[in-house]
Amino acid sequence: MEKLTFVIPTLLGVEGLTADELRRMGMAEVRAENGRVFCQGEPKDIPRLNLRLRTGERVLLQLGAFPARSFEELFQGVLALPWEDFIPKNGRFPVKGYSLNSALHSVPACQSIVKKAAATRLGRAYRLETLPEDGALYQIQFSLMKDQAALLLDTTGPGLYKRGYRAVGVEAPLRETLAAALVLLSGYRGRDPFCDPFCGSGTIAIEAALIAKNRAPGLNRTFSAQKWAWLPSQTWVDGAGEAMDLEYDGDYDIWGGDIDPAAVALAQANAEKAEVEDLVRFSQADARTFYRREPYGRVVCNPPYGERLLDQQAAEALYRDFGRAVRGLPKGWRVSVLSGHWAFEQAFGAPAEKKRKLYNGMLPCNLYQYGVKRGSFPQKGKK
């Protein structure tokens, strides 16, 4: 099989992190665009990418791309692709996709055309008038952007943010892929004390523990492509073995606190499911009185925005009190706060040294970072 083209969708603002991950994994021709990253690889990379990517949303295998300004162009382009190389005669191949700034703007109509063309190709290849579709799932995805069609197979199944350690969460949970991005953007690599004073269900602290240990986030779940006939099961065994060989042993100071004891109990249960309960500790605590004596460390958190959990005034009062608390930390600390509140810096009491636009689901947010330069963290009494 020739080189494969992979497309990794990402949350907006995270593309550069995902591209860095792919380069560190040795993937070829890495290229980032808005909301997705491309790379080249081999079949053995399907397990590697699914098991080890922290910030990507899923792993798509691109079978082809071509202009599609009419339904006939779309049909013929799909028909020309070698579907039989990937989908067996009993494979299930539902179709979903989207269209942006294209002449073919009806998604249901495009779904129907793609399905018909793929079925025609497979029917000819297997000499069947009707395909049974009672086997493994081969989810077809299409994208139409500016009259360019791309046809892909989803190797992942449920998104990569579903690590397998969090069945339920407290209100307004943070997606695991975004939590991992926040940890990486903070510069944390396992050496400094790490704290999340608004831990909720523990996602940020757990992702920090996985990063510190270099544990692959996908080891505790399954993927669609594990059932694909053309991808030997041994590649998944090899991929998991490679991932586990890369793990580190060490003692880490990772802590999460929350004012709600139910959230603390849930975070602890999630840490156990993620197999990092020996690396991270949780306790009931009020973020408004947060303090640590160590000369340096990282704070990464996602406090309530005042959208659903608190009203605007209560959120601003919380930011104000939390800002006073962290300005009492030693100068070597770095603080990263994700917030969708438009007046966060004013309420917090200090302008951010760095500000990065991110999305928590569909909600636009900023990551406000303080203390990025050594000794630059605003101290108590200063703004």
Side-chain angles (χ1 to χ4, degrees):
M1 189 174 288
E2 296 180 2
K3 284 282 186 182
L4 302 176
T5 297
F6 296 108
V7 182
I8 317 296
T10 74
L11 296 170
L12 291 172
V14 173
E15 302 89 346
L17 290 175
T18 304
D20 288 343
E21 286 193 81
L22 293 169
R23 293 186 186 100
R24 286 195 298 272
M25 290 175 64
M27 303 303 294
E29 298 182 47
V30 177
R31 175 170 54 89
E33 293 184 356
N34 280 344
R36 57 185 183 174
V37 185
F38 294 81
C39 65
Q40 298 281 320
E42 304 172 40
K44 69 177 182 180
D45 292 312
I46 293 175
R48 296 177 73 240
L49 294 172
N50 277 294
L51 288 164
R52 291 168 56 186
L53 277 175
R54 300 186 188 281
T55 61
E57 294 300 305
R58 59 181 64 249
V59 179
L60 303 175
L61 174 59
Q62 182 168 295
L63 271 62
F66 49 86
R69 292 171 292 271
S70 68
F71 287 130
E72 180 62 20
E73 277 190 315
L74 180 61
F75 182 88
Q76 293 299 332
V78 175
L79 184 66
L81 298 177
W83 296 102
E84 67 276 11
D85 289 350
F86 301 93
I87 303 176
K89 64 181 178 181
N90 69 333
R92 288 184 293 129
F93 56 103
V95 177
K96 61 183 178 182
Y98 63 89
S99 175
L100 293 172
N101 302 320
S102 296
L104 302 180
H105 54 81
S106 171
V107 171
C110 291
Q111 281 179 294
S112 179
I113 293 293
V114 171
K115 180 73 176 185
K116 183 179 179 181
T120 300
R121 173 86 184 211
L122 290 168
R124 290 175 183 171
Y126 297 122
R127 299 182 180 179
L128 292 172
E129 287 189 13
T130 303
L131 295 160
E133 291 200 61
D134 57 3
L137 175 65
Y138 295 78
Q139 176 70 59
I140 296 175
Q141 288 199 16
F142 69 86
S143 69
L144 275 163
M145 297 179 67
K146 297 181 180 178
D147 297 324
Q148 279 288 125
L151 274 295
L152 313 104
L153 286 177
D154 180 4
T155 75
T156 301
L160 290 177
Y161 68 91
K162 294 189 176 180
R163 314 288 209 213
Y165 65 73
R166 193 179 66 181
V168 294
V170 294
E171 195 173 353
L174 189 70
R175 186 172 282 198
E176 289 85 337
T177 45
L178 180 55
L182 299 182
V183 175
L184 293 171
L185 288 169
S186 79
Y188 177 72
R189 298 296 183 269
R191 290 183 291 275
D192 301 345
F194 184 96
C195 301
D196 176 7
F198 298 91
C199 74
S201 56
T203 308
I204 292 175
I206 291 170
E207 292 297 321
L210 293 171
I211 288 169
K213 189 176 176 60
N214 202 33
R215 180 175 176 80
L219 286 171
N220 290 346
R221 57 160 290 175
T222 58
F223 304 93
S224 287
Q226 284 179 266
K227 295 182 179 179
W228 288 5
W230 60 271
L231 191 60
S233 58
Q234 186 61 42
T235 60
W236 291 93
V237 175
D238 293 344
E242 178 190 15
M244 288 186 283
D245 286 343
L246 295 171
E247 291 184 12
Y248 309 138
D249 289 322
D251 294 321
Y252 307 104
D253 183 357
I254 303 171
W255 172 84
D258 201 283
I259 200 166
D260 181 2
V264 173
L266 181 59
Q268 187 61 46
N270 288 339
E272 291 170 7
K273 290 176 191 168
E275 301 177 6
V276 294
E277 72 275 12
D278 57 331
L279 305 180
V280 58
R281 58 192 175 86
F282 296 99
S283 60
Q284 187 178 0
D286 189 338
R288 294 172 295 186
T289 59
F290 173 75
Y291 182 71
R292 292 288 292 257
R293 298 181 182 278
E294 294 87 350
Y296 54 85
R298 300 284 197 283
V299 172
V300 180
C301 59
N302 175 42
Y305 303 158
E307 296 287 329
R308 296 179 296 271
L309 298 180
L310 294 173
D311 62 28
Q312 295 281 325
Q313 288 184 329
E316 289 169 12
L318 178 61
Y319 297 158
R320 193 158 45 246
D321 292 342
F322 179 56
R324 289 195 191 103
V326 296
R327 284 198 296 278
L329 291 170
K331 286 186 177 181
W333 280 76
R334 298 184 183 184
V335 174
S336 301
V337 185
L338 182 70
S339 179
H341 194 292
W342 64 275
F344 171 81
E345 289 168 294
Q346 182 179 352
F348 185 78
E353 196 173 307
K354 287 182 69 175
K355 190 161 63 173
R356 186 176 183 127
K357 187 85 166 187
L358 296 170
Y359 282 80
N360 186 2
M362 296 301 293
L363 183 66
C365 300
N366 283 304
L367 180 64
Y368 299 95
Q369 295 186 284
Y370 299 87
V372 176
K373 297 174 184 175
R374 182 65 64 181
S376 65
F377 192 73
Q379 298 297 289
K380 188 169 286 188
K382 296 180 182 178
K383 289 190 178 184

